[in-house]
Amino acid sequence: MTEPVNLARKLSLFQDHWSPRIIAGFNGHDVMVVKAEGEFVWHSHPDTDDFFLVLKGDLTIELRDSEVKLGPGDLYIVPKGVEHRPVAHGEVHLLLIEPHGTPNTGDEATAAKKVPV
């Protein structure tokens, strides 16, 4: 990486919701930004934790027995194997970090294709 990454500029390059865009790599992990709106699907990641950092907006991470409310600057990590569903109230911008190749739904067959931006 020879230049800094401007998150706002990267987020301005696309409009799709729930389609993570890879902005950098870090020790075998994808650093991504994503725009979210509405409900995502219930899912879990059997082998990895799920990292969420809210950059803009309000996000609720629903768990089967509780929920976690996040606003700008809030970070939450869903432990591996825990079923969850992110719900974006209006448009939400997120920074995500996952091991390279991790499907965003926990299932390769239903996952969004992650592309660099």
Side-chain angles (χ1 to χ4, degrees), residues 10 13-14 20-24 31 113-117:
K10 293 293 188 180
L13 297 176
F14 63 96
R21 299 302 202 275
I22 299 169
I23 59 170
V31 179
K113 183 176 180 190
K114 297 176 193 172
V115 295
V117 65

Side-chain angles (χ1 to χ4, degrees), residues 52-72:
F52 294 87
L53 173 61
V54 176
L55 303 171
K56 173 185 166 186
D58 295 304
L59 183 76
T60 300
I61 298 181
E62 296 179 343
L63 307 169
R64 288 298 183 181
D65 60 354
S66 63
E67 63 183 27
V68 179
K69 295 190 180 291
L70 304 170

